[in-house]
Amino acid sequence: MSRVTIIYCHPYTKSFNHAVLESVVANMKAGSTAFDLLDLHADGFQPYYDAEELRLYHSGGTHDPLVSRYLDALQHSDGLIVITPIWWNGVPGMLKGFVDKVMKEGEGLTHTVSSTGIHGCLKNLKHAYVLTTSTSPTWYFRLMLGNGIRRIFINKTLKQIGVKRGTWVNLGGISNSSTQKRLRHLDRVRSMRFTF
């Protein structure tokens, strides 16, 4: 049986992103897929280094129990689902801080560094799904704003930690979207076939 880590990054429980989370959870339960939910805001995750955390970075250590729990979930999962809004053409600061703090350098952690670059250790994560919402239409984000979620977050950041494949699903134009469009999107998420 597959095990999945869900990373959820939104502070407001009445947001559309939260409805996407509920649809993903319903999908996992319907498929009897085991999952760990990392709700960054609800957990009170501190998305920045203090001096002690930074001192421990190169040894792969941490003094933040959430970092340890999050890293353990990633190491014992077959796949990843990230649910986040797109803010200012990229992921929110909370999610960037998650990457900064949880992705630990060292053998058996998330990556190693050599003279030829970063080499991912989380090869157990066979597929990542990044489910986003954006104010800009998806086509505009792809063609005019640099397509940062696909080009940077999926194809660079996630690949550098070892994720083999990535799928991006976005509901663009969220601010002006109709109720019908939002409901169709939630139906799509509930019935998606996540493969890991």
Side-chain angles (χ1 to χ4, degrees), residues 64-194:
D64 185 337
L66 282 176
V67 170
S68 298
R69 180 165 74 85
Y70 291 171
L71 182 55
D72 183 69
L74 292 170
Q75 290 173 320
H76 293 94
S77 289
D78 302 297
L80 182 63
I81 300 173
V82 180
I83 302 166
T84 182
I86 296 173
W87 287 347
W88 291 105
N89 307 312
V91 298
M94 176 70 89
L95 185 53
K96 177 66 169 65
F98 173 91
V99 173
D100 288 346
K101 281 184 70 177
V102 177
M103 303 313 162
K104 295 289 185 184
E105 179 185 341
E107 201 63 51
L109 295 171
T110 67
H111 66 283
T112 58
V113 180
S114 74
S115 60
T116 58
I118 295 174
H119 306 281
C121 298
L122 292 176
K123 297 187 186 303
N124 53 293
L125 298 174
K126 299 174 190 73
H127 200 148
Y129 291 84
V130 181
L131 310 181
T132 60
T133 57
S134 63
T135 301
S136 297
T138 303
W139 68 266
Y140 188 80
F141 189 83
R142 281 186 176 130
L143 299 177
M144 307 301 289
L145 299 177
N147 202 6
I149 300 301
R150 165 66 63 195
R151 289 180 60 248
I152 303 300
F153 188 66
I154 294 175
N155 290 351
K156 300 294 186 263
T157 303
L158 294 182
K159 194 164 276 191
Q160 283 181 312
I161 61 168
V163 179
K164 295 173 181 68
R165 295 177 57 219
T167 298
W168 176 41
V169 178
N170 183 55
L171 179 62
I174 184 70
S175 301
N176 299 311
S177 61
S178 66
T179 300
Q180 290 78 12
K181 183 177 180 180
R182 293 181 184 212
L183 290 174
R184 280 196 306 272
H185 186 78
L186 295 177
D187 285 342
R188 176 186 179 193
V189 171
R190 268 192 298 273
S191 61
M192 271 181 73
R193 186 168 176 269
F194 293 97

Side-chain angles (χ1 to χ4, degrees), residues 32-73:
S32 299
T33 303
F35 64 90
D36 292 301
L37 173 58
L38 314 184
D39 186 335
L40 305 186
H41 286 276
D43 288 348
F45 177 65
Q46 178 181 299
Y48 55 87
Y49 285 107
D50 57 25
E52 179 63 8
E53 188 75 16
L54 194 55
R55 184 186 73 77
L56 294 168
Y57 176 78
H58 287 292
S59 67
T62 184
H63 70 101
D64 185 337
L66 282 176
V67 170
S68 298
R69 180 165 74 85
Y70 291 171
L71 182 55
D72 183 69

